[in-house]
Amino acid sequence: MEDFLARVVTVEWHFQHDAGRPFAETSAELAARHPEHADLIAQFGPRFGETIPGPIPGSPEIVETLDAAGVPLFAITNFSAEFWAPFRADHAALFDRFRDILVSGEEKMVKPDPAIFDLAMRRFGLAPGEALFVDDRAENVAAGEAAGLIGHVFRDAPTLRADLVARGLIAA
């Protein structure tokens, strides 16, 4: 199975969904290239939620703390439009705390494309320097900073919490 994942279901293949390509298209193309794995490829879409290991320890609590403190929460996520709705529904208690969530697959643009940050700033009604952007990829943070966001490269929840306290967004 690991060989199948490494050779066939690649990050590059999956990233097409985040950019807005429908699973039916990408899976048909992949199955045509790897007919011996067509059944497994077909299962990826319906079972996508199983590929996500769960929240990073301490992160949901940070979101809850920020929300309780009245900090407006917005998100930009690289995620398939098709896979987003069921994933969001399964984690409604977390995502309902956000005022708006920009989903790359719906917009057909992905981080770190500057256009997604420009859209987010307009859609969320943010001016340069008004919002902290947290992401685990340095290239995404750099692109967010270029668009006028204040950046934080996420490493772990305790480090983020300390930064939020230092910025006065939450109490120690």
Side-chain angles (χ1 to χ4, degrees):
M1 181 63 110
E2 281 188 39
D3 180 54
F4 164 74
L5 293 174
R7 274 188 325 103
V8 179
V9 179
T10 63
V11 171
E12 293 78 17
W13 175 75
H14 172 67
F15 196 67
Q16 295 178 70
H17 305 126
D18 292 353
R21 283 203 67 207
F23 176 72
E25 275 181 26
T26 64
S27 61
E29 292 170 2
L30 195 60
R33 288 196 307 273
H34 301 279
E36 72 280 13
H37 297 301
D39 291 339
L40 288 172
I41 293 165
Q43 290 178 39
F44 182 85
R47 298 184 67 183
F48 173 74
E50 296 173 38
T51 70
I52 300 174
I56 296 168
S59 294
E61 294 81 5
I62 290 173
V63 171
E64 292 169 14
T65 301
L66 286 164
D67 187 38
V71 175
L73 299 172
F74 302 94
I76 308 167
T77 183
N78 281 352
F79 216 101
S80 160
E82 294 171 277
F83 302 157
W84 175 250
F87 181 77
R88 189 198 185 293
D90 287 346
H91 303 281
L94 176 70
F95 294 121
D96 285 351
R97 295 177 180 277
F98 289 79
R99 294 182 182 192
D100 196 1
I101 300 173
L102 193 151
V103 179
S104 66
E106 293 172 356
E107 304 301 334
K108 297 184 177 27
M109 59 179 85
V110 294
K111 297 178 290 183
D113 181 346
I116 200 167
F117 294 100
D118 292 340
L119 174 61
M121 298 285 283
R122 287 191 316 273
R123 189 160 124 184
F124 302 158
L126 299 171
E130 250 183 358
L132 177 66
F133 174 64
V134 178
D135 197 284
D136 64 338
R137 299 182 60 112
E139 63 270 24
N140 292 345
V141 172
E145 289 173 335
L149 297 165
I150 300 162
H152 174 97
V153 178
F154 181 86
R155 295 290 174 239
D156 57 49
T159 303
L160 175 58
R161 181 175 288 280
D163 187 33
L164 295 171
V165 168
R167 293 175 187 278
L169 292 171
I170 59 174

